[in-house]
Amino acid sequence: MSLHDNPLRDPQDRRLPRIAGPSSLVLFGVTGDLARKKLIPAVYDLANRGLLPPGFSLVGFARRDWEDQDFAQIVHDAAKQHARTPFREEVWDQLSEGMRFVPGSFDDDDAFERLAETIKTLDAERGTRGNHAFYLSIPPSAFPVVVGQLKEHGLAQAEGDSWRRVIIEKPFGHDLKSAQELNAVVSEVFDRESVFRIDHYLGKETVQNILAFRFANGMFEPVWNSHHIDHVQITMAEDIGIGGRAGYYDGIGAARDVIQNHLLQLMALVAMEEPVSFNAYSLRIEKQKVLAKTRPAEDLDAHTARGQYAEGWAGGEKVIGYHQESDIPATSATETFAAVRLDVQTRRWAGVPFYLRTGKRLGRRVTEVAVVFKRAPHLPFSKTATEELGENALVMRIQPDEGVTLRFGAKVPGTAMEIRDVNMDFAYGGAFVESSPEAYERLILDVLLGEPPLFPQHEEVELAWEILDPVIEHWAASTHPPDAYPSGTWGPKSADDMLARDGRAWRRP
Amino acid sequence: MKTDLTDTNASEVAAALVRARRAVGSPAMGMVLTLVVVTDDAHSYDAMRAAAAISSEHPARVLGVIRRSGRGSAGLDAQVRIGNGSGEAVLLRLRGELTHHAESVVLPLLLPDSPVVVWWPGQAPDDPAADPLGAIAQRRLTDAAAGRSKSRALLAAARSYTAGDTDLAWTRLTPWRALLAAALDQTDAPVTGGSISAERGNPSATLMRAWLEDRLGVDIALKTSTGPGLTDVRLTTPRGDVALVRPDGTSATFILPGEADRPVALHRRSLPELLAEDLRRLDEDDIYAATVRHLAAAESAKARPRPATKKATPKAASPKPQAAKEPSTSKETSA
């Protein structure tokens, strides 16, 4: 019986949540940080919210000498420690019956044979009906081996109505060429609808709210163009350094780590035309259109900036610089701060630059999109009256303190006529029972339901690399090292100069 | 912060709200609705606490209306609370003749433009929409399980149903309904009958039966068990029973014909969780409407003497005229 002729379902019945169909999740890299802190808690939270099917099973795969119970214990501890919702024994009982562990390394044929047997047993014992998702929470260098093994042992092959899906995490390559190679490896085994590229930013409620904000309201879209908007600033700032991730970070840098995926996706959502519907296909088409017409500014020296944090005081603590972090070579030219100016060559955005910046050890942790409006063409006030008046701005705060801020001028009370900037704030709801599911919950559920609207496909990934590759190549060819900036500040002076050249300034988020 | 006002009126309460908001640094007012809680002194504490708990998901102005003795002179005492949580709360204690005119105090205190929800955590009026407080609301929330006579409360609600009414006994069913719908997603056999077991007089069980009968067009038997709450829902198909069994109120067994039984967590949800679900949508709940209409029709059919073999339906056990005209019937037989 398909969803459509189930008499208990009705499109009007909006209380009924979509529970995923019978399925299992096979997790590669269960010992990693991401699995323990995000993925496993997200699975637990989904179960607690009643969104996982009875019989849902979780299979771990790692090079550990564990039994099923050992794995269950790890999951138990991770869920108890990091889950968002309260820990309940009955939810745990539901999950724990479906825990399986397969020990082995990625090149071990026997291990994959055992994995194939394990999921076959699950189909019989737990009714997962041949539906299995493989979550590759592993370094990209291991993708070809694992994907090859999945194919080799018949794990990628779905029978009848069942499905096999693969979930991969960023980075999707380190430039256009490597992204294409990676895609070639994966698409040889899985068809495009079965590949889910996770950009956890897109699972965030506030990012999805950008779409609601733009397309559900009548009053913003009419001014959403170059007639009214002066420029757009997209910022993702972190207050922490690279921590122990030297091996991952050095040689990658801020632009590849953040701009290529998160910031360009945010930009696409802000800049795209209205999709004809909110299905995955229409959304993707619009994002691809706008990304295809986005280019970095021509003079890359003048319109990009990069930096490296130096030691300093950040938030009341003395912290070390990038070069003092362990395992970072003294000659490393990896940028920890990157800013680029992008131009979108469409009628809507002609002449409206998009400034994207990201960095580590900046003033505070914040992600936001600030749309800055042009000044009113004529001000009937005296010059002194509007001295304190800035440009109107609409700020979508992605995290933390999710919400929307509208910045506009208001009369200072009591004075004759003096106008000053004020903020009007809308705060997104707090952290009640279900109010703000973690991004991974939404994404894992979407994978199990087979709903891809939030997952970029390889075209988007490749378009993003096409935008960024010239910048990265330019930096690599430069003899200048990245500009140092003291930790705890808002980046190098070159970033400020970059906007000053255009007669603008960065917003302090 | 709390402000107490004795012998006051609505405009003084409104002024106190503005003052209190200023005093805590004018926090952003992202409030989305006004929630009016109609209660009494004994139950106000729990009800107001539940209402405050939902304010981080649905930032709201909560107006607690407490009707005291109707004798003596008319008067209003109020307490304004602001600053903890994302909403604001006002307790309004009414006495004397004012207890019959609560809407005159509530009306000036509603948030501009935003929806109004009235919630009766205890005994609700027989016709909530006709109640002066219910009349100003878009959404009227009752709880048949909390009333003095549970089955009577539900019947009254069913007979007087107006768009915008819902009952927490219905909200309690959502996880059950979701699992049953998921079970039928996985079963390709038609349902030919079924049964429900629950505590005596459990209003949720009555609603579950009405929903299943309405959607499936088959008769569902209602049995009494020792509880707690709903314990067993069973749908008969030619291949065997599809069932959801919850003997202990926390975890259930999910049974599909031809497959191994699976445990599934199905705990009884707390009041704030139920409220939060109900406030997520403030438009008419069409499925609830169809369910209570079915319930009211079935009851009146039961009350009327059966017409002498006028309609020889195959399901003659209980004549349900509107079940036959439901499109779901034809779907079900074709499936």
Side-chain angles (χ1 to χ4, degrees):
Chain A
M1 188 176 289
S2 77
L3 245 57
H4 302 288
D5 49 17
N6 180 346
L8 295 186
R9 290 216 184 269
D10 189 314
Q12 290 296 324
D13 198 345
R14 286 172 301 189
R15 281 178 195 263
L16 283 200
R18 302 254 341 245
I19 299 182
S23 53
S24 87
L25 184 68
V26 182
L27 201 49
F28 290 89
V30 278
T31 50
D33 246 20
L34 182 76
R36 270 192 318 111
K37 289 194 180 146
K38 295 286 184 193
L39 304 182
I40 291 171
V43 166
Y44 172 83
D45 287 329
L46 282 174
N48 199 1
R49 292 164 65 204
L51 299 176
L52 291 184
F56 173 83
S57 304
L58 184 65
V59 183
F61 186 102
R63 201 165 53 197
R64 289 283 193 286
D65 210 4
W66 287 347
E67 296 289 331
D68 290 349
Q69 309 86 282
D70 303 318
F71 174 57
Q73 190 59 42
I74 300 287
V75 177
H76 179 270
D77 294 347
K80 209 162 186 173
Q81 205 182 341
H82 298 289
R84 181 175 64 85
T85 53
F87 192 84
R88 288 180 211 279
E89 279 307 322
E90 70 268 19
V91 177
W92 175 247
D93 290 344
Q94 173 187 348
L95 273 178
S96 69
E97 274 201 17
M99 300 275 174
R100 301 288 184 276
F101 185 77
V102 179
S105 58
F106 298 150
D107 52 6
D108 180 353
D109 284 325
D110 290 345
F112 278 85
E113 216 38 61
R114 283 198 300 278
L115 179 62
E117 273 164 39
T118 304
I119 66 172
K120 206 168 274 168
T121 329
L122 284 177
D123 289 344
E125 286 175 4
R126 306 269 303 165
T128 45
R129 303 194 176 188
N131 302 323
H132 303 280
F134 301 99
Y135 199 123
L136 307 188
S137 179
I138 52 176
S141 57
F143 282 0
V145 188
V146 173
V147 172
Q149 289 279 38
L150 291 177
K151 184 187 180 193
E152 197 86 346
H153 297 272
L155 287 156
Q157 196 56 47
E159 281 162 25
D161 286 342
S162 67
W163 50 256
R164 299 292 159 98
R165 296 178 183 141
V166 67
I167 307 158
I168 54 182
E169 283 268 354
K170 70 153 197 183
F172 312 119
H174 50 85
D175 57 16
L176 179 60
K177 190 162 161 287
S178 59
Q180 284 167 336
E181 284 165 7
L182 179 66
N183 180 54
V185 166
V186 176
S187 63
E188 192 195 336
V189 178
F190 291 94
D191 60 50
R192 52 185 296 144
E193 271 71 40
S194 304
V195 183
F196 291 76
R197 291 173 184 78
I198 284 213
D199 185 334
H200 69 271
Y201 249 67
L202 297 182
K204 281 189 186 295
E205 293 280 330
T206 34
V207 173
Q208 294 161 42
N209 190 42
I210 294 177
L211 296 174
F213 186 86
R214 283 191 58 196
F215 301 122
N217 294 306
M219 66 180 154
F220 302 114
E221 207 49 24
V223 296
W224 213 256
N225 55 51
S226 60
H227 296 296
H228 301 277
I229 293 177
D230 182 67
H231 69 283
V232 179
Q233 299 184 7
I234 304 181
T235 303
M236 177 176 157
E238 290 175 281
D239 53 2
I240 52 168
I242 57 159
R245 295 167 70 228
Y248 165 78
Y249 199 86
D250 195 54
I252 296 285
R256 287 190 178 102
D257 189 37
V258 174
I259 294 184
Q260 189 271 339
N261 36 65
H262 305 325
L263 294 195
L264 280 174
Q265 285 287 339
L266 279 180
M267 194 204 88
L269 293 179
V270 172
M272 72 183 195
E273 298 296 317
E274 181 168 13
V276 289
S277 97
F278 272 98
N279 63 32
Y281 175 76
S282 314
L283 269 178
R284 204 178 291 136
I285 294 250
E286 295 304 334
K287 282 201 282 179
Q288 281 173 19
K289 264 166 62 185
V290 73
L291 287 175
K293 292 306 288 178
T294 302
R295 286 286 162 266
E298 246 167 50
D299 185 352
L300 290 174
D301 277 324
H303 295 296
T304 68
R306 61 191 175 128
Q308 246 176 9
Y309 60 86
E311 63 180 6
W313 287 83
E317 282 172 37
K318 193 164 169 56
V319 295
I320 54 174
Y322 184 69
H323 279 146
Q324 286 84 54
E325 300 273 6
S326 58
D327 300 330
I328 298 293
T331 53
S332 171
T334 302
E335 82 281 357
T336 65
F337 176 97
V340 292
R341 173 181 143 174
L342 301 178
D343 296 317
V344 182
Q345 292 152 0
T346 64
R347 184 167 183 146
R348 186 193 281 263
W349 295 114
V352 181
F354 281 71
Y355 299 103
L356 276 53
R357 65 172 162 169
T358 181
K360 293 199 177 283
R361 283 256 190 265
L362 297 185
R364 71 186 186 94
R365 173 175 165 261
V366 63
T367 303
E368 62 165 41
V369 176
V371 177
V372 181
F373 290 89
K374 288 184 171 153
R375 275 178 181 276
H378 168 74
L379 292 171
F381 304 98
S382 68
K383 206 164 179 209
T384 49
T386 55
E387 221 160 9
E388 280 184 82
L389 176 68
E391 292 155 314
N392 296 160
L394 188 135
V395 183
M396 289 180 264
R397 309 194 302 271
I398 309 292
Q399 70 166 18
D401 183 26
E402 296 84 350
V404 179
T405 300
L406 199 57
R407 199 166 159 75
F408 56 90
K411 181 179 173 300
V412 178
T415 59
M417 178 49 87
E418 194 147 324
I419 296 163
R420 147 190 303 179
D421 285 336
V422 294
N423 284 332
M424 188 159 75
D425 261 332
F426 160 73
Y428 229 61
F432 186 60
V433 197
E434 295 208 349
S435 62
S436 47
E438 272 280 339
Y440 279 104
E441 285 175 61
R442 169 76 198 253
L443 295 170
I444 291 176
L445 184 64
D446 280 355
V447 170
L448 298 179
L449 289 170
E451 283 189 349
L454 296 173
F455 300 91
Q457 285 204 338
H458 72 92
E459 288 91 346
E460 271 171 72
V461 172
E462 286 167 17
L463 284 170
W465 282 121
E466 276 178 43
I467 297 169
L468 206 58
D469 270 358
V471 178
I472 292 173
E473 280 160 20
H474 178 77
W475 286 346
S478 159
T479 48
H480 270 292
D483 307 312
Y485 60 95
S487 291
T489 64
W490 283 104
K493 187 174 170 299
S494 53
D496 297 331
D497 295 344
M498 163 186 156
L499 259 73
R501 267 178 218 116
D502 293 350
R504 301 188 175 98
W506 290 106
R507 209 182 106 79
R508 180 164 44 74
Chain B
M1 79 176 259
K2 284 185 187 177
T3 315
D4 283 302
L5 303 162
T6 43
D7 266 328
T8 184
N9 59 31
S11 65
E12 283 179 20
V13 175
L17 273 170
V18 173
R19 265 202 314 277
R21 205 183 304 129
R22 288 250 167 90
V24 291
S26 297
M29 278 236 309
M31 285 189 281
V32 295
L33 58 95
T34 309
L35 176 63
V36 182
V37 186
V38 188
T39 177
D40 54 35
D41 268 320
H43 299 102
S44 71
Y45 179 78
D46 287 338
M48 291 300 280
R49 210 167 64 153
I54 57 109
S55 74
S56 50
E57 178 172 344
H58 309 285
R61 175 176 288 180
V62 181
L63 304 176
V65 176
I66 300 172
R67 288 192 176 108
R68 294 181 140 170
S69 166
R71 278 173 290 184
S73 58
L76 169 70
D77 298 332
Q79 186 182 59
V80 174
R81 303 167 182 174
I82 205 166
N84 32 8
S86 1
E88 5 179 78
V90 184
L91 261 188
L92 302 162
R93 290 194 170 85
L94 282 53
R95 55 177 192 274
E97 210 188 332
L98 184 59
T99 53
H100 302 297
H101 303 284
E103 71 283 1
S104 74
V105 180
V106 168
L107 206 58
L109 295 176
L110 301 176
L111 288 173
D113 246 8
S114 11
V116 178
V117 178
V118 177
W119 173 38
W120 289 271
Q123 183 71 34
D126 276 351
D127 184 355
D131 181 88
L133 275 175
I136 54 176
Q138 276 81 52
R139 192 64 176 256
R140 289 164 295 275
L141 216 54
T142 52
D143 188 355
R148 279 187 290 272
S149 161
K150 295 173 188 174
S151 45
R152 206 187 73 85
L154 196 58
L155 263 183
R159 289 213 186 89
S160 65
Y161 176 79
T162 310
D165 290 358
T166 53
D167 197 285
L168 290 182
W170 174 246
T171 315
R172 289 188 184 97
L173 285 180
T174 305
W176 284 83
R177 296 196 301 123
L179 282 167
L180 288 169
L184 286 202
D185 282 341
Q186 299 169 37
T187 315
D188 50 2
V191 177
T192 55
S195 68
I196 296 172
S197 305
E199 250 174 302
R200 180 176 297 282
N202 181 294
S204 295
T206 312
L207 283 172
M208 174 63 94
R209 177 195 196 180
W211 178 63
L212 288 174
E213 289 188 341
D214 181 43
R215 303 297 307 181
L216 300 171
V218 299
D219 285 327
I220 305 287
L222 188 55
K223 300 175 188 164
T224 306
S225 73
T226 51
L230 203 55
T231 52
D232 188 330
V233 178
R234 207 164 273 278
L235 301 174
T236 315
T237 75
R239 302 212 181 155
D241 280 2
V242 171
L244 198 54
V245 185
R246 183 187 68 179
D248 61 354
T250 52
S251 53
T253 309
F254 183 82
I255 301 166
L256 283 181
E259 288 189 21
D261 295 353
R262 296 163 220 160
V264 54
L266 193 61
H267 70 278
R268 309 186 78 185
R269 292 184 296 168
S270 68
L271 204 46
E273 284 173 276
L274 298 172
L275 266 186
E277 178 191 314
D278 246 298
L279 297 183
R280 222 160 274 153
R281 298 198 165 273
L282 296 176
D283 51 346
E284 183 179 5
D285 187 336
D286 298 312
I287 307 298
Y288 176 70
T291 303
V292 290
R293 271 189 210 116
H294 178 94
L295 184 64
E299 283 301 323
S300 57
K302 208 160 65 180
R304 266 202 312 273
R306 179 113 57 92
T309 62
K310 208 177 166 194
K311 238 192 273 172
T313 49
K315 299 164 284 178
S318 78
K320 291 189 310 305
Q322 93 294 11
K325 71 170 195 284
E326 279 296 314
S328 60
T329 314
S330 57
K331 276 188 215 156
E332 182 264 334
T333 43
S334 70

